[in-house]
Amino acid sequence: MNFSPKQSKVWRETVEEFHRWNISQGATRSGKTYLDYFRIPHRIKTAPRGHIFLIGNTVGTLERNILDPMREIWTEGLVGSPSQSGRVRLFGRDCWCLGADKSTQVSKLQGAGAAYCYGDEITTWSESVFQMLKSRLDKKGARFDGTCNPDSPGHWFHRFLQSGADIHQTRFTIDDNPFLEPEFVAALKQEYAGTVYYDRFILGKWRAASGVIYRAFADNPKAFIIKEPPDNIVYCTAGLDFGGNHSAHALNLTGYTKGFAKIITLDEWYSKEALTPDVLEMRVCDFLERNMKKHRIAELYCDSAEQVLIRGIKAEVMRRGLAVDVKNARKNPIRDRIRFYCRLFGTGRYFILPHCENTIRAFSEAVWEDGAITDRRLDDGSVNIDSLDAQEYSTEFLMTMVG
């Protein structure tokens, strides 16, 4: 194993010394998790009698972030796959994999005495799961190792880190990983420049989100506005946010060049009218039909909260013979959508046509909610959130593929 100086320091201070809580926090891609592909096997082999837990945001993220990489290093013979119940055989010992994204997961820890626990992406957990875990880590010599990216200083886990518990914590910056290509590090720094994510994911600092969200766009929107769409658009998707309770209906069309090199908002529709379902269906399909004369529209992603309206739009799409697949929007966490667009702005890969005035204004005026404990985009009717939702719905499918 080839450790960086920071990783070697953490190994010495958390394996050769005893601490009940061992937390590696900080920048993304900084090497804080790689160390655990070797620390976890050591912990399992030396842990006292009792349950061993591996906990992540979901079992799926735990599999992707921890188990898959360990399998590549140690082989499938030593790193098994979780059963439906979460039981997994690791290094000759039965262990349990749990998701911690919902408070309902608490019941899976009740009554279980833990000898060792590993935690992945701790800041994405439900606080109630972590509170229950503290009471379950009751075996003599029991330890917890975990990693997280920083969040707001008001986050419940940051408060725990400031407590008087026996916590060994190490902050990683992206420059602590000497194995990354310098070009990649420079690109990542550029993508997050001017945002709260630079402090968190590059410098590894806990920072509150405040002020303008999309600083790169707000400071110079003309840098992203283009007069005409490029000729090499491969296909398009649309996103629809339904209005109600003083919000607007918003529909955005997004085009992509080959390899998603450029992502362009080509058209928008925005209405605060109180429309009947029939009129709404007509307006949406008119928008699709008009744009399909110039572009290939593969999917329309709709706010999944309005299934009756979606069924009506599907019926009208079929009646008109439009070759568009109408789907539910994924509605990923808003903070993940924000981070995606910040990276697009930072790399100069996003563009918008000048007539899409509502979306331009929405990106320019979006701000963080003042005084919120966790990151929250202001949504009090004073700014246009609807166009942002529609734009984000249209691109959610590629947020794990790009950026």
Side-chain angles (χ1 to χ4, degrees):
M1 48 188 177
N2 190 15
F3 288 164
S4 70
K6 180 63 73 73
Q7 291 166 336
S8 297
K9 179 176 182 290
V10 173
W11 182 275
R12 290 193 305 271
E13 295 177 356
T14 66
V15 175
E16 298 173 13
E17 302 174 14
F18 179 85
H19 297 279
R20 178 172 166 82
W21 302 93
N22 303 282
I23 309 299
S24 296
Q25 55 171 301
T28 183
R29 301 300 304 276
S30 59
K32 61 186 182 297
T33 304
Y34 178 79
L35 172 75
D36 295 324
Y37 304 150
F38 302 91
R39 187 165 56 169
I40 290 172
H42 177 81
R43 296 295 204 211
I44 291 175
K45 289 177 177 296
T46 59
R49 290 175 59 86
H51 286 86
I52 292 176
F53 293 103
L54 279 73
I55 305 178
N57 177 254
T58 65
V59 174
T61 60
L62 192 63
E63 179 88 37
R64 182 173 66 250
N65 296 342
I66 305 300
L67 297 181
D68 280 348
M70 284 205 306
R71 222 170 269 128
E72 291 184 12
I73 296 169
W74 300 104
T75 76
E76 294 182 2
L78 292 174
V79 183
S81 297
S83 66
Q84 194 168 5
S85 66
R87 185 191 296 268
V88 60
R89 191 76 173 170
L90 298 176
F91 305 98
R93 193 160 174 178
D94 285 337
C95 305
W96 296 90
C97 293
L98 303 178
D101 58 329
K102 299 175 183 176
S103 59
T104 52
Q105 303 292 337
V106 167
S107 61
K108 296 181 180 179
L109 288 170
Q110 288 174 333
Y116 173 65
C117 181
Y118 179 80
D120 178 51
E121 297 184 336
I122 307 167
T123 49
T124 67
W125 295 11
S126 166
E127 181 180 4
S128 57
V129 175
F130 185 76
Q131 296 299 342
M132 175 59 71
L133 173 65
K134 288 196 292 186
S135 68
R136 297 297 91 201
L137 206 66
D138 59 358
K139 301 302 180 184
K140 184 177 179 180
R143 303 192 201 197
F144 177 93
D145 298 322
T147 63
C148 69
N149 296 125
D151 204 284
S152 166
H155 193 282
W156 61 263
F157 189 62
H158 186 253
R159 294 197 302 271
F160 171 74
L161 294 178
Q162 305 307 304
S163 70
D166 178 18
I167 306 171
H168 180 282
Q169 49 184 305
T170 306
R171 179 168 69 91
F172 284 74
T173 73
I174 196 168
D175 294 318
D176 285 323
N177 188 347
F179 306 112
L180 295 176
E181 291 293 334
E183 295 81 6
F184 170 78
V185 174
L188 206 60
K189 288 180 177 180
Q190 178 188 356
E191 290 168 16
Y192 286 133
T195 73
V196 67
Y197 302 114
Y198 189 93
D199 284 344
R200 294 180 184 175
F201 299 146
I202 301 298
L203 302 180
K205 296 181 178 180
W206 295 77
R207 286 287 185 265
S210 62
V212 174
I213 297 176
Y214 307 104
R215 175 63 64 186
F217 189 96
D219 284 352
N220 188 19
K222 290 182 180 179
F224 302 93
I225 298 172
I226 55 176
K227 293 182 179 180
E228 299 290 339
D231 294 330
N232 58 339
I233 290 176
V234 178
Y235 77 107
C236 305
T237 56
L240 174 61
D241 184 49
F242 296 108
N245 296 324
H246 307 294
S247 65
H249 300 293
L251 176 58
N252 278 38
L253 180 69
T254 305
Y256 311 96
T257 61
K258 187 176 181 180
F260 305 109
K262 294 181 180 179
I263 298 172
I264 310 103
T265 300
L266 300 168
D267 200 6
E268 67 171 16
W269 171 69
Y270 182 89
S271 175
K272 284 194 170 183
E273 296 177 81
L275 304 177
T276 64
D278 288 349
V279 173
L280 176 64
E281 294 160 14
M282 181 185 68
R283 297 276 181 88
V284 170
C285 289
D286 286 349
F287 176 93
L288 295 174
E289 200 163 28
R290 181 177 71 252
N291 278 286
M292 289 179 75
K293 294 176 181 178
K294 297 176 287 185
H295 304 290
R296 173 175 163 254
I297 305 176
E299 294 99 12
L300 167 64
Y301 295 95
C302 305
D303 183 349
S304 57
E306 300 290 349
Q307 290 300 309
V308 173
L309 296 178
I310 293 173
R311 286 196 293 271
I313 291 170
K314 284 183 176 180
E316 182 64 12
V317 164
M318 292 181 64
R319 190 188 70 78
R320 297 194 188 194
L322 303 178
V324 179
D325 193 3
V326 180
K327 298 181 176 181
N328 289 333
R330 299 188 183 192
K331 301 187 77 168
N332 293 333
I334 291 175
R335 58 191 293 162
D336 292 349
R337 300 186 236 157
I338 290 172
R339 183 181 169 191
F340 174 76
Y341 273 91
C342 283
R343 295 188 70 175
L344 289 184
F345 295 141
T347 52
R349 295 168 63 190
Y350 174 81
F351 301 93
I352 186 168
L353 296 188
H355 71 275
C356 301
E357 296 177 355
N358 293 290
T359 307
I360 292 170
R361 189 161 52 249
F363 276 129
S364 299
E365 297 176 356
V367 294
W368 297 107
E369 183 178 324
D370 245 358
I373 294 176
T374 57
D375 297 347
R376 190 175 300 155
R377 190 162 60 190
L378 182 65
D379 186 8
D380 63 355
S382 64
V383 289
N384 174 14
I385 297 300
D386 311 305
S387 291
L388 295 180
D389 283 338
Q391 180 59 41
E392 291 160 356
Y393 294 162
S394 72
T395 54
E396 282 183 302
F397 74 96
L398 57 85
M399 289 184 184
T400 57
M401 299 162 49
V402 180

